[in-house]
């Protein structure tokens, strides 16, 4: 098991590093509200390939396992044997309300593949997913996203949002977005994303 995790970790390194010299495509958004420690973004429609991981509460292990399947898809394990461009971020959504731990790991599909991507090989258990235009609250944090620090970051974002959300609003899931290679030690960028249903700001309608 340890050896498999090391292989998955190496794949993540390769995924982010092999794009040296290229402009990496990311989802388009508009910033519509800014606070000192978070911002509200309105995203356009976004297409993803996603891999569901169940049975482990570890954010790190789930991300490694899910990305291993996505890595195979974007490197030819699909109906066209297509190889995809490097994009960012890789995101991991934690479904906190589930009895069994579930994590959904996503690869952002570049514009050229966003509408009709090739089908994944069935054994990968990878799904095409499309987000409609929506609004997200986003908190940035540096360093590495790990099991021992992501809860602190999500709690900080929840606290910052508390005055904007309805009293007692339940948040059942949140997403960690990672933008950098594992080999990059300085200047790293991660984000916590939360849907902001009920948030009222110009240009941002409730989800």
């Amino acid at each position: 098991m340890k050896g498999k995790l090391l292989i998955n970790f190496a794949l993540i390194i390769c995924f982010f590093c092999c794009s040296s010299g290229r402009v990496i495509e990311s989802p388009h958004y508009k910033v519509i509200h800014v606070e000192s420690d978070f911002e509200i973004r309105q995203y356009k429609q976004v297409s993803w390939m996603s891999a569901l991981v169940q049975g482990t509460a570890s954010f790190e292990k789930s991300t490694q396992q899910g990305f291993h399947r996505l890595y195979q898809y974007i490197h030819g394990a699909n109906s066209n044997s297509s190889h995809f461009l490097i994009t960012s971020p890789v995101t991991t959504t934690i479904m906190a309300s589930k009895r069994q731990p579930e994590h959904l790991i996503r690869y952002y599909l570049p514009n050229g593949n966003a509408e009709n991507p090739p089908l994944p090989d069935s054994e990968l258990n990878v799904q095409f997913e499309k987000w409609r235009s929506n609004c997200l609250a986003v908190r940035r944090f540096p360093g590495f996203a790990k099991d021992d620090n992501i809860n602190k970051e999500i709690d900080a974002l929840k606290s910052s949002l508390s005055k904007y959300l309805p009293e007692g609003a339940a948040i059942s899931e949140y997403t960690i977005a990672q933008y950098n290679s594992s080999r990059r030690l300085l200047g790293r960028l991660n984000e916590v994303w939360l849907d902001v249903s009920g948030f009222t700001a110009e240009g941002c309608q409730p989800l």
Side-chain angles (χ1 to χ4, degrees):
M1 177 62 71
K2 183 177 180 181
K4 183 179 289 187
L5 291 178
L6 289 174
I7 291 172
N8 291 339
F9 183 71
L11 291 176
I12 293 176
I13 291 175
C14 180
F15 177 77
F16 283 111
C17 290
C18 292
S19 60
S20 179
R22 299 179 183 177
V23 176
I24 298 178
E25 187 175 331
S26 297
H28 297 288
Y29 64 85
K30 177 175 65 174
V31 177
I32 62 170
H33 185 87
V34 178
E35 297 281 349
S36 60
D37 56 349
F38 77 94
E39 65 187 24
I40 303 297
R41 298 175 184 169
Q42 186 173 44
Y43 279 82
K44 296 182 179 180
Q45 183 172 274
V46 182
S47 295
W48 309 86
M49 295 302 295
S50 62
L52 181 65
V53 177
Q54 298 174 304
T56 174
S58 170
F59 159 81
E60 293 176 69
K61 289 180 180 179
S62 295
T63 300
Q64 291 164 355
Q65 292 174 17
F67 184 78
H68 177 65
R69 287 150 53 193
L70 293 169
Y71 183 91
Q72 293 178 75
Y73 171 78
I74 66 179
H75 283 80
N78 56 68
S79 57
N80 294 345
S81 298
S82 299
H83 287 240
F84 291 75
L85 295 174
I86 304 304
T87 64
S88 69
V90 169
T91 69
T92 301
T93 297
I94 299 95
M95 275 75 83
S97 65
K98 301 290 184 180
R99 291 184 179 180
Q100 181 182 30
E102 290 188 352
H103 296 77
L104 195 62
I105 294 80
R106 296 182 177 94
Y107 157 79
Y108 167 64
L109 284 164
N111 286 332
N113 305 99
E115 294 302 319
N116 190 29
L119 296 174
D121 289 355
S122 58
E123 65 270 16
L124 296 180
N125 193 20
V126 168
Q127 307 293 327
F128 175 57
E129 182 181 353
K130 183 173 286 189
W131 284 4
R132 61 188 174 86
S133 178
N134 62 6
C135 293
L136 301 176
V138 178
R139 173 183 171 86
R140 298 183 182 91
F141 65 99
F144 287 86
K146 292 182 172 291
D147 290 325
D148 61 2
N149 67 359
I150 60 171
N151 287 333
K152 179 188 72 173
E153 299 298 336
I154 189 62
D155 286 345
L157 181 55
K158 287 180 180 178
S159 177
S160 298
L161 285 171
S162 61
K163 64 182 178 180
Y164 299 106
L165 297 177
E167 185 176 354
I171 299 175
S172 62
E173 64 182 47
Y174 59 93
T175 296
I176 303 296
Q178 300 184 74
Y179 287 85
N180 304 116
S181 159
S182 301
R183 293 175 59 184
R184 181 167 180 173
L185 302 180
L186 301 175
R188 297 184 58 81
L189 173 62
N190 311 287
E191 294 174 342
V192 179
W193 294 356
L194 278 179
D195 287 344
V196 285
S197 300
F199 184 87
T200 55
E202 184 177 357
C204 187
Q205 301 300 319
L207 298 176

